[in-house]
């Protein structure tokens, strides 16, 4: 805290105009006891009736729809008590359709989501639907568990890193403007409240899953105020968790260390954009976009999606996409719904398909099609649930 | 057994192919419905499932036997844990805790009707049914009132769902005599429970591709109690832009039900009104022997006949109509992801009624329960 105040004083000397606003921000008491005002002030009960769940499904663009088809098919064979409410949101969908999709997630509480295409140059006035969805639903934490599969050929075979990424503010605040012709300002917003919430989430996660170390990744040597605040908050929170080791690393160094010696990392907590970059690096380390799933958590809602959030438009409809990432996301969802039996059933089948039967799609260096993978998983599920083992 | 496995593999393969071609057409042409209702998957998982069975009073045990026979002949992979629960012979009944444990464990229960005597022996105000509902928090009762083709009744093509809150309201079992000759009966309405049932109704409508939800109340008289219910329904309705919401006062609603029942889609009601409307609506399509219902909590579900009559005067006479129980059991199978068998039982019952050769007394025929059961078994199509 002391160093942060010093930074601010330094900054204030250089730019006295900003002093007032900054001083107010710093003197504010820590937000622990503050009443939270989230988008969903009133928690809406989740749609769970008689042990069956209704979950919103947003297939999105690209390979999303076909992957969702696979998920539904596998759920059928595993006898999963989940019904999907399917809402088609594409890049051309209107604002109203998008609103309805948000309402649908609010009332079901849980969603499985493909990526919605958001390209530069189409319509710059429009914000990314994916980012907007996370902000609207207040999904502040994005959690990515990067664990290598033994049989998937990759540079490192023993990576096991959890990335906890801030998901709603920072560079993704969608505040950009052109003050003077040719000069664009893009605002990066870091708040103590959100940083603290994220840091607490990361430390709680570490405690819950028996992790030993949390690394805060930042660029506070350059962005002394914003990333400084993030780092400072993480450090403060770490004092409440004496059993968890805390260290910090500058983002450029962290990237280098990740590709050189990823084993040193355990839980990584980082602001939005760094999180985006770093999670893609780690996904690349363990086998590419087709494997890992990501989880987005807020206080009331949870959205599950493939970890790297690519649409895979070029692969759509060619039966070559790797369905594992979406299946892993669906298993995460089942675990979130406390359906651990079904989640384990599917996960075991995935593991066996990848590691024992070695059925790999093209992106993993194999020859199999998406359907080969799915059929093998279904075969294993049928064998594991057949009444002869009853 | 081997044949069954082969069949399941074949059906599995068949079901994979169209799925892929469907997704390919979508990505090629980019044409898809913008919002589609939830599709019930046709699932036939391997393995057996366990459910609780409460035969109940009156003709319940006879009807449950029909269900067991049909299940056995259809090869349904469900095992029942049978529990005898009754309020009539307290000493012969199993304890409520045992039954509740079993339902908690299995999550699914098939139940006959429990008789509720007018006078309780020990001064207890809560009936066994109410205790069971409270223990399991079975707050939502769903009765799907649908005309069966082949029956000659006053209204054809009725298809509506009556959703009833059944843990509070008039059924709170809070009655007392403050002054000699003056009895107060408390009707309790809470925001949380009203909201919960309203959300249940809209979620049910969404899941089953229904278009309209009507809240039924008497808020013009009970401005606070029923007013709360109505307000919560209105608030929840705002979250469901694709479903039309309307409200109707209970007296008008009952009149409309008997004169033009086709205007209704999903009805959501507080406890006592729900009870009345359930029975009224069941009468529209052929009586208590026809209509299946279910009670939901968030974790477990009890399937039972929709209109709760024990029909104790027919015990042992082999005349009761097992349709309601069979339809409830088919719903149970669908709920358990055994849609293959659920559809098999449902269509067998539909076929028997449509053909109309075998009809029990209440459907205007002379057949016995056993005849009906045999006819359903003969009509099972694998």
């Amino acid at each position: 805290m002391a160093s942060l105040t010093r930074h601010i004083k330094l900054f204030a000397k250089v730019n006295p105009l900003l002093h007032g606003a900054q001083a107010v921000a710093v003197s504010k008491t820590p937000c622990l006891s503050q009443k939270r005002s989230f988008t969903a002030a009133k928690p809406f009960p989740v749609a769970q009736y008689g042990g069956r769940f209704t979950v919103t499904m947003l297939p999105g663009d690209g390979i999303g729809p076909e992957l969702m088809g696979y998920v539904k098919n596998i759920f059928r064979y595993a006898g999963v008590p989940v019904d999907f409410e399917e809402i088609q949101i594409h890049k051309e969908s209107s604002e109203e359709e998008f609103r309805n999709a948000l309402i649908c997630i609010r009332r079901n509480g849980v969603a499985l989501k493909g990526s919605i295409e958001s390209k530069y140059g189409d319509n710059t006035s429009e914000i990314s639907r994916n980012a907007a969805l996370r902000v609207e639903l207040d999904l502040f934490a994005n959690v990515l568990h990067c664990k290598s599969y033994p049989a998937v050929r990759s540079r490192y075979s023993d990576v096991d890193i959890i990335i906890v990424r801030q998901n709603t503010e920072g560079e993704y605040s969608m505040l950009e403007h052109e003050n003077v012709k040719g000069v664009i300002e893009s605002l990066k917003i870091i708040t103590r409240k959100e940083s603290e919430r994220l840091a607490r989430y990361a430390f709680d996660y570490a405690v819950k899953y028996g992790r030993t170390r949390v690394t805060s990744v930042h660029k506070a040597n350059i962005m002394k105020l914003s990333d400084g605040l993030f780092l400072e908050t993480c450090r403060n929170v770490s004092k409440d968790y004496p059993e968890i080791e805390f260290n910090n690393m500058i983002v450029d160094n962290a990237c280098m260390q990740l590709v050189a010696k990823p084993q040193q990392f355990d839980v990584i907590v980082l602001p939005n954009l760094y999180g985006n970059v770093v999670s893609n690096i780690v996904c690349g380390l363990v086998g590419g976009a087709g494997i890992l799933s990501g989880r987005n958590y807020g206080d009331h809602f949870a959205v599950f999606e493939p970890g790297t959030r690519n649409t895979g438009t070029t692969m759509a409809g060619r039966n070559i996409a790797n369905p594992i990432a979406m299946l892993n996301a669906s298993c995460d969802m089942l675990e979130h719904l406390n359906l651990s039996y079904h989640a384990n059933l599917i996960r075991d089948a995935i593991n066996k398909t990848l590691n024992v039967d070695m059925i790999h799609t093209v992106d993993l260096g194999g020859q199999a099609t998406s359907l080969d993978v799915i059929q093998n998983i279904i075969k294993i599920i049928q064998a594991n649930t057949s009444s002869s083992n009853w | 057994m081997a044949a069954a496995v082969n069949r399941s593999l074949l059906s599995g393969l068949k079901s994979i192919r169209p799925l892929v071609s469907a997704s390919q057409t979508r990505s090629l042409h980019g044409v898809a419905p913008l919002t589609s209702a939830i599709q019930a998957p046709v699932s036939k998982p391997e393995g057996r499932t366990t459910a609780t069975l409460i035969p109940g009073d009156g003709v319940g045990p006879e009807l449950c036997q029909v269900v067991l026979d049909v299940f056995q002949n259809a090869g349904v992979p469900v095992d029942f844990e049978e529990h005898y629960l009754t309020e009539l012979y307290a000493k012969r009944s199993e304890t409520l805790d045992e039954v509740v444990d079993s339902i908690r464990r299995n999550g699914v229960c098939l139940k006959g009707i429990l008789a509720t005597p007018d006078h309780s022996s020990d001064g207890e105000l809560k009936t066994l049914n109410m205790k069971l509902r409270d223990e399991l928090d079975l707050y939502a009762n769903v009765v799907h009132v649908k005309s069966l083709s082949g029956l000659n009744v006053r209204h054809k093509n009725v298809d509506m769902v009556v959703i009833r809150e059944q843990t509070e309201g008039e059924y709170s079992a809070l009655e007392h005599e403050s002054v000699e000759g003056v009895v107060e009966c408390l009707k309790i309405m809470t925001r949380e429970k009203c909201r919960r049932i309203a959300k249940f109704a809209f979620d049910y409508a969404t899941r089953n591709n229904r278009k309209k939800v009507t809240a039924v109340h008497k808020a013009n008289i009970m401005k606070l109690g029923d007013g709360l219910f109505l307000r919560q329904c209105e608030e929840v309705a705002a979250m469901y832009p694709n479903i039309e919401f309307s409200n109707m006062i209970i007296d008008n609603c009952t009149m409309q039900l008997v004169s033009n029942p086709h205007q209704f889609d999903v009805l959501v009601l507080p406890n006592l009104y729900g009870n009345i409307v359930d029975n009224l609506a069941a009468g529209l399509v052929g009586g208590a022997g026809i209509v299946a219902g279910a009670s939901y909590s968030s974790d477990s579900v009890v399937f039972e006949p929709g209109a709760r009559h024990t029909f104790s005067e027919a015990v042992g006479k082999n005349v009761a109509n097992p349709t309601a129980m069979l339809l409830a059991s088919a719903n149970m199978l669908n709920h358990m992801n055994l849609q293959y068998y659920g559809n098999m039982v449902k269509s067998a019952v539909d076929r028997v009624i449509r053909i109309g050769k075998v009809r029990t007394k209440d459907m205007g025929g002379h057949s016995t329960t056993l005849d009906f059961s045999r006819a359903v078994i003969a009509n099972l199509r694998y």
Side-chain angles (χ1 to χ4, degrees):
Chain A
M1 199 65 231
S3 68
L4 181 64
T5 337
R6 203 178 59 238
H7 286 319
I8 287 160
K9 273 180 191 150
L10 273 172
F11 185 59
K13 260 184 222 158
V14 183
N15 193 346
L17 266 178
L18 276 174
H19 186 215
Q22 290 294 333
V24 168
V26 171
S27 66
K28 233 166 116 183
T29 48
C31 64
L32 265 181
S33 58
Q34 235 174 15
K35 195 167 177 283
R36 290 169 168 183
S37 58
F38 301 143
T39 354
K42 263 188 219 157
F44 215 54
V46 295
Q48 179 195 357
Y49 304 113
R52 278 191 91 90
F53 296 84
T54 305
V55 168
T56 303
M57 179 183 261
L58 304 174
D61 290 308
I63 52 171
E66 56 189 83
L67 295 187
M68 291 304 187
Y70 301 143
V71 169
K72 281 193 273 189
N73 208 12
I74 285 181
F75 273 24
R76 222 152 58 76
Y77 280 92
V80 178
V82 167
D83 299 307
F84 287 111
E85 186 175 352
E86 210 173 317
I87 305 249
Q88 306 285 354
I89 289 287
H90 304 293
K91 56 178 190 288
E92 302 97 0
S93 299
S94 70
E95 192 59 24
E96 197 197 343
E97 281 161 9
F98 181 63
R99 288 283 131 203
N100 286 349
L102 283 179
I103 289 178
C104 180
I105 297 176
R106 287 216 173 100
R107 61 195 192 220
N108 290 330
V110 179
L112 185 65
K113 170 176 170 296
S115 243
I116 304 158
E117 204 167 318
S118 157
K119 273 219 176 94
Y120 165 72
D122 294 356
N123 184 359
T124 38
S125 68
E126 238 178 53
I127 54 176
S128 158
R129 287 274 158 81
N130 297 301
L133 185 133
R134 281 171 218 132
V135 173
E136 285 285 328
L137 297 174
D138 192 36
L139 300 166
F140 66 91
N142 176 239
V143 182
L144 206 68
H145 188 175
C146 307
K147 196 167 189 305
S148 31
Y149 281 92
V152 173
R153 215 158 51 87
S154 56
R155 206 156 286 274
Y156 299 100
S157 58
D158 50 353
V159 177
D160 186 2
I161 302 174
I162 287 166
I163 296 175
V164 180
R165 161 189 174 191
Q166 214 298 325
N167 219 358
T168 52
E169 54 170 20
E171 300 84 352
Y172 284 52
S173 309
M174 298 173 283
L175 298 170
E176 289 188 297
H177 50 250
E178 191 168 16
N179 280 349
V180 181
K181 183 125 185 110
V183 181
I184 306 270
E185 284 185 348
S186 169
L187 300 183
K188 163 174 173 172
I189 312 287
I190 302 266
T191 61
R192 182 186 290 114
K193 190 170 122 182
E194 290 298 316
S195 303
E196 179 166 343
R197 191 146 69 119
L198 184 78
R200 276 199 193 284
Y201 185 88
F203 277 98
D204 285 341
Y205 192 96
V207 170
K208 193 173 166 196
Y209 292 96
R211 297 286 173 150
T212 51
R213 189 197 294 145
V214 172
T215 308
S216 169
V217 170
H218 58 90
K219 188 76 186 171
N221 57 338
I222 302 297
M223 276 161 283
K224 292 187 201 302
L225 291 179
S226 57
D227 281 17
L229 177 64
F230 180 79
L231 175 60
E232 206 55 46
T233 315
C234 288
R235 191 172 287 152
N236 283 342
V237 169
S238 75
K239 284 170 192 149
D240 296 345
Y241 299 83
E243 70 279 20
I244 307 265
E245 190 189 330
F246 174 75
N247 64 357
N248 70 77
M249 201 176 270
I250 294 173
V251 60
D252 43 0
N253 183 28
C255 291
M256 185 169 68
Q257 297 288 334
L258 269 171
V259 292
K261 233 178 93 192
Q263 295 85 357
Q264 65 183 299
F265 292 98
D266 195 355
V267 177
I268 304 179
V269 53
L270 17 59
N272 210 336
L273 182 63
Y274 311 152
N276 182 259
V277 176
V278 167
S279 58
N280 273 266
I281 291 177
V282 184
C283 281
L285 282 181
V286 302
I291 295 254
L292 294 177
S293 57
R295 291 166 280 169
N296 301 290
Y297 289 115
D299 282 358
H300 303 305
F301 312 113
V303 173
F304 300 88
E305 58 186 341
T308 51
R309 299 170 175 174
N310 306 326
T311 48
T313 316
T314 49
M315 290 189 285
R318 293 171 57 196
N319 195 14
I320 54 169
N322 191 346
I324 301 293
M326 190 61 90
L327 290 177
N328 272 332
S330 71
C331 290
D332 289 341
M333 182 192 83
L334 294 180
E335 271 156 15
H336 177 78
L337 298 174
N338 276 331
L339 295 169
S340 52
Y341 165 77
H342 299 98
N344 293 336
L345 192 66
I346 298 174
R347 264 201 216 288
D348 289 349
I350 293 172
N351 282 333
K352 196 156 170 251
T353 303
L354 283 185
N355 299 332
V356 182
D357 301 343
M358 304 284 273
I359 297 180
H360 294 175
T361 44
V362 180
D363 58 320
L364 304 180
Q367 299 272 308
T369 61
S370 315
L371 264 189
D372 292 338
V373 178
I374 296 301
Q375 274 171 337
N376 198 60
I377 290 174
I378 288 175
K379 208 174 75 199
I380 296 169
I381 289 176
Q382 281 189 318
N384 285 345
T385 55
S386 85
S387 31
S388 52
N389 335 337
W390 196 254
Chain B
M1 193 62 235
V5 170
N6 274 339
R7 213 161 40 232
S8 79
L9 279 174
L10 275 177
S11 74
L13 289 174
K14 260 182 234 147
S15 59
I16 291 171
R17 293 214 177 93
L19 199 126
V20 173
S21 63
S23 75
Q24 280 173 342
T25 23
R26 203 208 75 68
S27 60
L28 285 173
H29 305 290
V31 185
L34 287 171
T35 50
S36 58
I38 296 154
Q39 294 169 340
V42 181
S43 172
K44 193 188 169 194
E46 310 277 312
R48 297 189 74 81
T49 323
T50 317
T52 306
L53 177 68
I54 303 174
D57 298 313
V59 292
E62 296 170 29
L63 302 185
C64 285
Q65 189 55 48
V66 172
V67 171
L68 292 180
D69 288 346
V70 170
F71 274 22
Q72 195 180 9
N73 282 282
V76 177
V78 171
D79 300 317
F80 282 112
E81 272 177 28
E82 205 169 319
H83 289 279
Y84 186 64
L85 192 69
T86 177
E87 206 173 353
L88 298 177
Y89 317 101
K91 285 184 184 139
R92 277 160 60 183
S93 173
E94 286 181 47
T95 61
L96 186 65
D97 291 344
E98 283 176 85
V99 180
V100 166
D101 271 355
S102 168
I103 298 178
R104 281 233 174 87
R105 203 170 49 241
N106 296 324
V108 179
C109 171
L110 184 65
K111 171 175 163 291
I113 300 303
L114 300 178
T116 47
D118 287 348
H119 301 280
S120 71
S121 52
D122 49 359
E124 175 83 70
L125 289 176
K126 266 190 183 181
T127 68
L128 194 57
N129 262 322
M130 281 153 77
K131 283 184 201 156
L132 184 69
R133 279 176 227 155
D134 284 356
E135 279 293 315
L136 290 166
D137 193 29
L138 296 167
Y139 63 91
N141 181 249
V142 179
V143 177
H144 187 182
V145 180
K146 191 170 189 315
S147 307
L148 295 171
S149 68
L151 282 184
N152 192 16
V153 287
R154 192 171 292 275
H155 295 287
K156 294 268 163 54
N157 298 324
V158 175
D159 183 5
M160 63 181 156
V161 179
V162 183
I163 292 174
R164 160 191 178 197
E165 209 295 329
Q166 57 176 4
T167 54
E168 58 166 13
E170 299 84 355
Y171 283 52
S172 308
L174 296 170
E175 290 187 293
H176 51 251
E177 194 165 14
S178 310
V179 180
E180 172 86 34
V182 181
V183 174
E184 285 183 346
C185 170
L186 300 184
K187 164 172 170 170
I188 311 288
M189 303 294 270
T190 59
R191 185 168 62 221
E192 197 191 321
K193 286 192 172 179
C194 291
R195 202 177 173 78
R196 188 166 72 160
I197 194 70
K199 179 157 193 285
F200 180 94
F202 279 95
D203 280 344
Y204 186 94
T206 312
R207 220 181 98 183
N208 295 284
N209 203 9
R210 299 263 165 180
K211 300 282 171 261
K212 185 175 152 196
V213 172
T214 308
V216 180
H217 59 92
K218 187 77 185 170
N220 55 339
I221 304 296
M222 276 160 284
K223 293 190 198 302
L224 292 180
D226 283 16
L228 181 68
F229 176 81
L230 183 58
R231 263 204 319 285
Q232 293 309 314
C233 288
E234 279 165 359
E235 273 179 32
V236 170
M239 299 280 284
Y240 296 80
N242 296 330
I243 295 173
E244 194 189 329
F245 175 72
S246 65
N247 73 74
M248 198 175 269
I249 294 172
I250 176 73
D251 44 0
N252 182 26
C253 173
T254 44
M255 183 172 70
Q256 298 287 335
L257 269 170
V258 292
S259 58
N260 178 18
H262 304 102
Q263 63 183 295
F264 295 106
D265 196 351
V266 176
L267 294 159
V268 54
L269 318 91
N271 209 336
L272 182 63
Y273 311 151
N275 181 251
I276 295 166
V277 169
D278 272 351
N279 277 264
L280 193 158
L284 287 180
V285 297
I290 301 287
V291 181
S295 295
Y296 289 84
S297 76
S298 60
D299 300 309
S300 40
V301 49
V302 173
F303 292 91
E304 58 194 339
R308 292 170 178 149
H309 296 282
T310 54
F311 202 16
S312 52
E313 55 273 32
V315 176
K317 289 185 183 156
N318 199 14
V319 294
N321 186 351
T323 305
M325 207 66 182
L326 283 170
L327 292 181
S329 75
N331 291 342
M332 181 186 83
L333 295 175
N334 287 338
H335 180 86
M336 293 162 108
N337 265 351
L338 295 168
Q339 285 93 350
Y340 174 82
Y341 298 102
N343 296 341
M344 194 198 284
V345 173
K346 171 88 168 57
S347 51
V349 173
D350 281 348
R351 205 171 297 127
V352 170
I353 292 175
R354 198 171 56 240
I355 294 168
K357 278 190 177 164
V358 182
R359 281 185 180 165
T360 51
K361 239 176 173 175
D362 61 323
M363 294 193 283
H366 299 284
S367 306
T368 63
T369 309
L370 199 59
D371 291 337
F372 195 89
S373 158
R374 285 194 188 123
V376 170
I377 290 168
N379 276 288
L380 290 171
R381 297 276 185 276
Y382 302 96

